[in-house]
Amino acid sequence: NAGVTQTPKFRVLKTGQSMTLLCAQDMNHEYMYWYRQDPGMGLRLIHYSVGEGTTAKGEVPDGYNVSRLKKQNFLLGLESAAPSQTSVYFCASSYHYEQYFGPGTRLTVT
Amino acid sequence: KNEVEQSPQNLTAQEGEFITINCSYSVGISALHWLQQHPGGGIVSLFMLSSGKKKHGRLIATINIQEKHSSLHITASHPRDSAVYICAVRNAGGTSYGKLTFGQGTILTVHP
């Protein structure tokens, strides 16, 4: 099993550009999450999903959108990137309580 | 004040030393997680506990629910233990999706 994978691993965007981060899991987990990690701060939840076709806002959802069209995939979109969105993004999935994390995507917005 | 506070923020040790990382939280929880993040790497779960103590190899995690405090101990530390250790709590009640609140992490460096 690949577990949780994320693409891309690195990306540099200019302010105003858009992009989509892809998270995929092969563990048949119902729950999926997108976090951002910034220096000096703990991981913060952006959006989450409790099942295929459902999404909900986390702590810091502004500027992001998500979709979960298939159970195994959870997409995070930035419609108009801003420098404040420079961060490392982690996807995670869980069946019940324990969360399994992807390797992260390092995004820089200039 | 953050809901989850870790101490110390940075920790340097010599190989073989006994290490303790502390986590205090201010909310009611149903479980506490300890996670490990290697430089440039992903995040892996070390422990999930709701009471008492768990041990895995050289790692030991304890929790005191009454005092809202948990500790992660590493015995006979090794340079490969160098990583960021993150405490996260699962709030009591709420929805079933298992929202976690994370501490800022403790950066551990073990020198040979």
Side-chain angles (χ1 to χ4, degrees), chain A residues 90-104:
Chain A
F90 285 96
C91 174
S93 71
S94 69
Y95 171 70
H96 203 44
Y97 290 124
E98 185 170 357
Q99 293 191 15
Y100 296 80
F101 289 83

Side-chain angles (χ1 to χ4, degrees), chain A residues 59-73:
Chain A
E59 300 170 63
V60 288
D62 293 342
Y64 305 95
N65 57 74
V66 287
S67 64
R68 184 120 181 249
L69 298 180
K70 294 183 179 181
K71 187 177 184 178
Q72 63 267 34
N73 295 336

Side-chain angles (χ1 to χ4, degrees), chain B residues 31-60:
Chain B
L32 182 143
H33 299 250
W34 281 103
L35 310 166
Q36 181 191 56
Q37 182 176 22
H38 278 284
I43 299 167
V44 295
S45 178
L46 297 174
F47 295 103
M48 182 177 68
L49 63 166
S50 55
S51 65
K53 176 178 169 177
K54 286 191 175 181
K55 185 174 187 290
H56 185 257
R58 296 179 294 105
L59 273 61
I60 303 166

Side-chain angles (χ1 to χ4, degrees), chain B:
Chain B
K1 190 177 188 300
N2 293 331
E3 290 184 351
V4 181
E5 295 275 357
Q6 288 184 235
S7 63
Q9 291 188 0
N10 287 278
L11 182 56
T12 301
Q14 289 298 124
E15 184 173 355
E17 287 184 356
F18 181 85
I19 288 163
T20 296
I21 299 170
N22 297 300
C23 176
S24 297
Y25 53 91
S26 57
V27 296
I29 68 168
S30 58
L32 182 143
H33 299 250
W34 281 103
L35 310 166
Q36 181 191 56
Q37 182 176 22
H38 278 284
I43 299 167
V44 295
S45 178
L46 297 174
F47 295 103
M48 182 177 68
L49 63 166
S50 55
S51 65
K53 176 178 169 177
K54 286 191 175 181
K55 185 174 187 290
H56 185 257
R58 296 179 294 105
L59 273 61
I60 303 166
T62 64
I63 189 169
N64 185 318
I65 296 293
Q66 286 72 31
E67 295 187 2
K68 292 187 166 61
H69 181 269
S70 175
S71 293
L72 176 69
H73 305 287
I74 304 175
T75 61
S77 60
H78 190 276
R80 64 174 175 267
D81 297 325
S82 298
V84 177
Y85 292 84
I86 302 169
C87 171
V89 301
R90 181 179 306 282
N91 291 29
T95 65
S96 61
Y97 75 90
K99 178 183 180 295
L100 296 178
T101 302
F102 296 82
Q104 294 181 331
T106 295
I107 302 171
L108 171 65
T109 305
V110 182
H111 294 294

